[in-house]
Amino acid sequence: MTGWLKNIWRAAYPPHIASWKTVTVPAAIVFLILYLLEPFGLSRLESGLLWVSLGAALISAGVSSVFVWVLPRLFPRWYAEQGWTLGKEVVNTLALLLSIAVCVWLYVAWLTGMVLSLRLFFVVLLWVLILGAFPTVLFALWNRNIQLARNLRKATEMNRSLPDKPKAEKPFSVPLVFQGDTREALEVDAMSFLYAESEGNYICLYYLSSQDPSPASKLLRLTMKQAEASAVSAPFIVRCHRAYLVNLRRVTKVDGNSQGCRLRLEGCADEVPVSRSYVKKVQALIAAGK
C-alpha cells in the first residue's frame, strides 16, 4: 500500500500552467462561500455583504496570482515542467488554499472587529479546506488520469505512423552549423543530429559521431531560436518542446504519460519530451513521414 502511494505521489502530472482559471476559480469559491453562506458572523452585517465578499474574492485572486506568476519565477527548479508530479500539484494547491485562508482570516477579523484568534483562523481554514481541498485533490487525480489516457492514445497513433525502420538512412546529407555567441561552433550532418536541449543560456547539442558509438554532445552559448534557425534546412528537425529540438527521422518509438509524449531515438538512450502545445504538430509531421 505504501509503495502504491509513493508511485502515485511521484507520478508525472501535467505541468503547472499560468491561466486565468487558476486565479478566478479560487476567488469564485471564496466569493460564493461568503456571499451565500455568510459565515464568520457576516450575517450580522446590515449592508455591504456583496462588497465584502467581492473584496475577499479579490484578495484570493491576488494570492493565486502570486502562486501562478511570482513563485515559479522565484523557484524555477521546484516548478520545472519535467519534474512536476502529482505530489507537487497537491502540495502546491494545499499551500495556495492555506495562504488564502490566512488572508481571509485577517480580512474578516478586520471587517468584523473580531480579535485575531486561533479559533477564528481554524474556522476559516475549515471552510476553505472542506469546500476547496477535497474537490481539488479529487480533481487532480481525475485530471491526471484523463491526460494520461489522452497522451497514451496519441502515442499509439504516432507509433502506427512510424516506419518499421527509422528514416535516418534516407539520403539527405545536409551540413548544419550551430554557431554560438562565442567563437565556438558545431558542424554536423543533419542525419547525425539527434536533439538539442536548452540549459539556461546554453544549448546542449547531441549527435552521433563516427568515432564513438554512443551519442556525443557539445555545449554552446546560443538561444533555442538560434538553434532552430540553424536547422531550418532540415525540415525533419523540429521544435517539440520549449526547451527541445528533435530529429524526427531518428524516432523509433513514442511513449505517453500525463505530461505529454516522449520520443525514443535510434542510437540514443535518452528520451525527448513533447509538450502538450507541440503534440499535434509532431503528430502531424510523423504522420506525413517527415
Side-chain angles (χ1 to χ4, degrees), residues 21-37:
K21 291 181 181 179
T22 310
V23 174
T24 57
V25 170
I29 291 175
V30 169
F31 173 79
L32 292 174
I33 291 174
L34 297 182
Y35 188 70
L36 298 179
L37 303 180

Side-chain angles (χ1 to χ4, degrees), residues 166-174 189-191 236 249:
K167 296 185 177 181
E169 299 177 358
K170 184 177 179 180
F172 197 99
S173 181
V174 174
D189 187 82
M191 286 302 183
F236 48 85
R249 288 191 179 168

